[in-house]
């Protein structure tokens, strides 16, 4: 969990820039004997892929993934299995549109990492945001697809629950609706309203933020550990490592600050021979360890900083100037963060499953 | 950042249970030649120490720290300096009140880690919460005191900005007020009101949550790294690793979801010969790297789960029962989380300072 | 495996200087539910303890260990079990003889770490070697005692097989002899001769090196991993991390360089329904993974650098001078390295057992 | 330093099997602003490349490396510089000769990792050794080429000093000879004799082991750290992580066991205003920290296990059988280990340079 590596037992290391020849990741520590094909991984990448509706960037990237190592044909089934060695997942960059980068080469776009990369490294790959581009999240989604296979009993689902100032009505929540609208929202009513709202944002050359909720069902009690091995610690790190994320919460989250101890602590009763919680303010985690309830995580994505409005900024050489970021951008980058958040939760859970099995058996 | 260790180059490993003989930590990777005395560390521990007002637990713990290694007398000044080797900080537990733990031994307290520790390990030290006790945060505060010495140009300050449903008025913000009230709040007016409010909570045997804000001034641009070495990733992990924390955000945080790109992205202008941001929605971090602005972090602490009200729960042997947690507890454990949050931010920053210096020089 | 921490899933972090108040370690990642008492750990420390014969340093250290965390009374057996949380093992330094350190304060002893610590840190705790003292190995032995409990089916035994130029006769190998002589050698005949030899060395104020062999029986096939998770990689790191060790080899080791492929590769035959190797040049490890054969490791310990002969050196201020190291020293520090090597092998194996169980189940 | 990752601040993660589509590595933590081209890396790969003389495997692999990320054109010089982000180095496998692997699919070759991979994972990529193939070392050499650029003042050179039972005469040592013979040996006389010897080995379908010595000049005093951050610990791990390596030693190594304290400890005198050691039994490392002398490392490579002689073994299904390994193999795989050893030493030193700079500045 440093540099460009995330995870401890199950871990991924990503590489690649927005406009370099390729991006991808090495997934290491995966158990052997798991059926794995590029097609399966591709199905998750296709959810994140840009250019699928008018509400995401029009950059055309097939995001076709190849598995370069770590799988081998099973002698009996002839299907492809993980071998236990590192799984290299490679995605070529295809649509690196030739354009004039002179402006952003010398000028820091407000809200971007231009200024901080330059301050740190004295130098940066400015094309399309370089390493700070949201394209890197394709590698996360690919690794997340592998992670899901490590924890087959766990179901991970994400949803957009707020776009700009507009929240869903949780009474309308219908998971099957998520796949039917371009926003991954479970509220069909909201989907209609948001289409209008986002069209307005898009046409104005503006952008908006969002809040994503990701849940995991089927996680048994016992994953996670005290205290710097807490499941929620790693979930917080996972979500905050995604570009543009500014906040993360578990269960009741920030709202728990306003609760009384009576209202917050989830009571327990025996049901069908085992303990069952009567509410889930904890979001499925107590003391850093899973309780067996659904794990519930939310994170906030800031509005895309690339907008058509003219903004005040400075140049590399220290002169005041104004900038307007043309080009192909997501008016609400939070939409495509839904599959990314799912992937990160899958990676954390796969890692903690192996860590738990290692320590406790 | 796994098990009981936090940090990469500057790192701490904590140990200890609430009712064991001692707790503490090993601080490893500290640069050599830094003046360090137990007294300095003690001054931070004294802020976190329980029993200082009627608003915290009445457990009496001097939290006296001893330095068992990693420092040595300077030949010239006769002062004590860090040697660059591991610094062992030991705090004896003193007030392990003898009481009958039979009830919590066999029954899971709602909202506590009792159930999950039992589920994970099949066995637990139930006395005072064992490893899940807030007493562990003393080790964090001690390590944080060392971390501050590693980054002397950085000023880290924390404040309680919300208690239960009651928020401060940010117009009243006065840092000097923080040390003058038992709540570490910068709003003198809120301090008066909260005293009444918390007395009510305390007398009712209830508890309440809180929100803490911690800031760091003087951090130069360039600390942090893409993408799993992001400064905000590690800050999120640091705060979420504290027991009872349910959410963390940086800068505008969750509120950024509702902003437009125009309102969110911080514009830049040259001031006094260097770039200056005209606002700080980013909370001092862009692309995972510090921008030179103040780093601003908030985290939510849930209400203490130990309350006098009777709550539904089950026993280890699977029988429905009710429980009421007597004993000495903080009605608002968020208060004492203020120095803990400061310590964690100091540790993350010291770590990233060394990591940045290592890679970039 | 950096700083002062060794291991990945099962890991120890040691601290302490030769003449500080205490030394010890935190053992983290230990499985829960393992019976563990200070007495058991003590029995291993007593093997390493100085002052037990005229052949080791006369410093008197009881090396009494206390367990400060991570264990708790089992409700049924009333015995003490590991809880799965960090185990803090503390050993007080008792015999810090007051002496005049002025000479070594300002002068670098040839063969010691004086010069390099000063070069690195600009400053050092020169008393008794500070952090570079062999006293640190007490923490390793204590952690190793815990590690042995994690892998109860594995038997780890060490032996001195060469002292100075004098090798044992492997035909005389008798494990039961190891506990009957002050050298931990399995060759009773060598023990007699070495006593004379080492008396001569000791009386001359000189010192001598040694080679230790450590074996592990009962390790199942499958522990370890490619390629930077190789079992022999971690064994090499473990042994080389011990002060004064200058070489490590597995199985045929350096001698394998002179062998032909026919002679080196261990043939296999079915015996009693399972594969059995007909020789063990591999030392129980192939491709970094255990084969089920005995693991066989050897390491070389250089002669103690503290000798009574006058040696050429320089002072901190850059003047040529001569030095003679008086004080209490081991004429052959390799003797006490036998239990240390055992402990390190136990730690590596416990770690790899948990890592294997984590990945493969 | 676990899984398939080596290093802490400067680190590489390798992937790939012998007969998969590609192999390579991600180099992470590299400082920014370092000129780096594929051509430079290629020059080191060409030294390791097979098929360059009759003394190495006849497999034809161009080992052409591509840099897929982490470099960018400098605006001024137009040269390519590292950006500080992960550097992906990809090498396609070209000569995956189609052959019938039926025999080794079901039978364990003595001396190979066949048996242990099967035991661990229950399944393996048996083509050409899969992940256990020496082809993986190409990734190490590529990463090592980057590492060298991080420590420009350090000169790293390797040499073959023993082939089978035949040692060089150190009196003949001439570094310039290393590049003039197919064995990387500094002894021209030995090169002539070894050619005859190895022809005999090769024609007999046999194989032989070797010993390699690698040195680093120009390392300043102060790199490394106590105790599990020792420079020699990481060197030992680095060398032992190479397939077929069975032993590693530093300085006098195993021979130091037979020395007296007087003979072993390197005396010091002032020369030209700074301390200079009068001998180098320490191999440039004292207390785990570099002394400023040349770092001297040796490691032993066992004979290739793939030989034409018939050997006893068993099948996956537990039947006794015999096996003879046909195909293209190195009669002395130790030869090509010379550039690999150099690369690993470069990686360790680059890592420790950054770690030292991080902690001490």
């Amino acid at each position: 969990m440093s540099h460009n590596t995330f995870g401890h037992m199950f871990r991924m290391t990503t590489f690649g820039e927005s406009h370099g020849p390729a991006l991808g990741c090495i997934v290491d520590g995966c158990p052997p004997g798991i059926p794995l094909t590029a097609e399966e991984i591709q199905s998750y990448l296709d959810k994140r892929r840009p250019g699928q509706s008018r509400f995401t960037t029009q950059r055309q990237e097939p995001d076709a993934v190849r598995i370069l190592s770590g799988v081998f044909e099973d002698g009996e089934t002839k299907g492809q299995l993980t071998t236990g060695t590192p799984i290299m997942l490679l995605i070529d960059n295809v649509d690196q549109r030739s354009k004039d980068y002179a402006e952003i080469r010398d000028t820091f776009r407000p809200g971007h990492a231009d200024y901080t990369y330059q301050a740190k490294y004295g130098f940066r790959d400015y094309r399309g945001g370089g390493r700070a581009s949201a394209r890197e999240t394709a590698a996360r989604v690919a690794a997340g697809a592998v992670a899901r296979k490590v924890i087959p009993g766990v179901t991970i689902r994400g949803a957009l629950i707020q776009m700009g100032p507009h929240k869903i009505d949780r009474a309308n929540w219908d998971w099957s609706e998520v796949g039917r609208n371009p926003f991954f929202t479970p509220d069909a009513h909201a989907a209609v309203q948001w289409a209008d709202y986002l069209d307005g944002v898009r046409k104005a050359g503006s952008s908006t933020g969002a809040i994503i909720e990701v849940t995991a069902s089927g996680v048994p009690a016992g994953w996670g550990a005290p205290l710097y091995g807490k499941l929620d610690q790693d979930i917080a790190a996972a979500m905050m490592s995604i570009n543009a994320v500014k906040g993360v919460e578990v269960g009741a989250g920030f709202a728990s600050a306003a609760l009384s101890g009576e209202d917050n602590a989830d009571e327990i009763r025996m049901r069908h021979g085992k303990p069952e919680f009567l509410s889930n303010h904890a979001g499925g985690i107590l003391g850093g360890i899973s309780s067996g309830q659904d794990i519930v995580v939310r994170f906030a994505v800031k509005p895309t900083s690339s907008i058509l409005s003219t903004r005040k900024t400075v140049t590399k050489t220290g002169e005041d100037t104004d900038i307007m970021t043309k080009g192909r951008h997501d008016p609400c980058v939070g939409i495509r963060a839904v599959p990314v958040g799912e992937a990160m939760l899958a990676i954390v859970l796969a890692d903690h499953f192996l860590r738990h099995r290692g320590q406790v058996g």
Side-chain angles (χ1 to χ4, degrees), chain A:
Chain A
M1 309 235 186
S2 73
H3 290 47
N4 290 277
T5 298
F6 189 86
H8 184 67
M9 284 290 291
F10 181 92
R11 83 172 67 141
M12 70 167 165
T13 303
T14 79
F15 72 92
E17 275 81 32
S18 173
H19 282 57
L23 58 85
C25 62
I26 297 174
V27 174
D28 203 358
C30 186
I34 297 177
L36 183 72
T37 64
E39 289 68 33
E40 285 175 286
I41 300 171
Q42 195 64 50
S43 69
Y44 292 98
L45 283 167
D46 288 347
K47 288 179 68 183
R48 191 213 72 98
R49 189 156 54 84
Q52 303 192 95
S53 80
R54 67 182 185 278
F55 301 113
T56 60
T57 171
Q58 295 307 299
R59 177 168 174 173
Q60 293 300 326
E61 284 290 352
D63 280 351
V65 68
R66 283 181 291 151
I67 306 178
L68 297 191
S69 67
V71 294
F72 190 60
E73 187 192 83
D74 181 29
E76 290 166 39
T77 67
K78 303 302 171 193
Q80 195 171 248
L81 303 179
T82 60
T83 59
T85 60
I87 301 167
M88 168 67 192
L89 303 172
L90 192 74
I91 299 166
D92 287 317
N93 284 326
V94 171
D95 184 13
Q96 305 126 292
R97 185 176 296 189
S98 71
K99 59 171 271 189
D100 182 4
Y101 286 106
E103 191 174 43
I104 63 169
R105 186 187 64 205
D106 298 326
T107 308
F108 305 122
R109 292 166 295 168
H112 277 88
D114 295 340
Y115 178 72
T116 54
Y117 271 60
Q118 185 81 29
K120 183 179 190 73
Y121 299 119
F123 172 71
R124 71 196 154 93
D125 179 349
Y126 43 77
R127 301 166 306 162
R131 182 74 180 143
S133 166
R135 267 200 73 60
E136 187 268 348
T137 59
R140 300 173 187 249
V141 170
V146 182
R148 285 176 194 258
K149 303 291 303 260
V150 175
I151 44 171
V154 175
T155 301
I156 294 168
R157 293 183 292 191
L160 206 70
I161 62 167
Q162 180 177 332
M163 178 186 288
H166 305 294
K167 304 185 184 194
I168 62 161
D169 180 348
R170 296 186 81 95
N172 294 341
W173 196 293
D174 176 3
W175 276 116
S176 65
E177 179 59 30
V178 165
R180 287 197 288 260
N181 63 69
F183 308 118
F184 302 115
T185 184
D187 177 350
H189 189 68
V192 174
Q193 293 182 312
W194 293 0
D196 278 350
Y197 168 70
L198 199 56
D199 270 331
V201 168
R202 184 171 57 86
K203 288 171 183 165
S206 184
S207 65
T208 191
I211 296 180
I212 290 95
E213 181 167 313
V214 186
T215 68
S217 306
V219 176
W223 294 3
L227 266 151
Y228 309 104
K230 289 175 74 175
L231 188 55
D232 33 1
Q233 172 197 287
D234 288 350
I235 290 171
M239 300 310 169
M240 202 65 107
S241 75
I242 304 169
N243 276 325
V245 171
K246 300 304 286 184
V248 57
E249 62 181 11
V250 173
F254 276 90
S256 66
L259 295 179
S260 69
E262 286 79 3
D263 290 340
N264 181 69
D266 305 309
E267 293 182 294
I268 322 176
R269 273 289 176 253
M270 294 304 294
R271 292 257 176 96
H272 312 297
K274 55 178 199 166
E276 196 171 297
F277 292 89
L278 307 184
S279 55
N280 190 11
H281 294 95
I285 304 175
L286 286 166
I289 299 172
S290 63
S291 68
Q293 287 196 286
D294 280 4
I295 290 174
V296 181
V297 184
R298 275 177 302 279
F299 61 95
V301 176
K302 69 179 185 182
T304 320
S305 302
S306 300
I307 48 177
L308 284 176
S309 307
T310 299
R311 307 291 291 156
K312 293 178 188 137
T313 190
V314 300
T315 65
K316 263 197 335 187
T317 45
E319 286 143 12
D320 282 353
T321 185
D322 291 341
I323 193 165
M324 184 187 79
T325 312
K326 285 159 294 196
R328 306 161 297 175
H329 299 290
D330 289 280
C332 176
V333 75
I335 297 170
R336 296 202 288 134
V338 174
V340 179
E342 290 178 1
M344 293 309 294
L345 186 55
I347 290 165
V348 171
L349 290 172
D351 187 30
H352 274 279
F353 163 54
L354 302 186
R355 286 155 74 169
H356 176 72
R357 185 166 69 177
Q359 189 186 9
V360 177

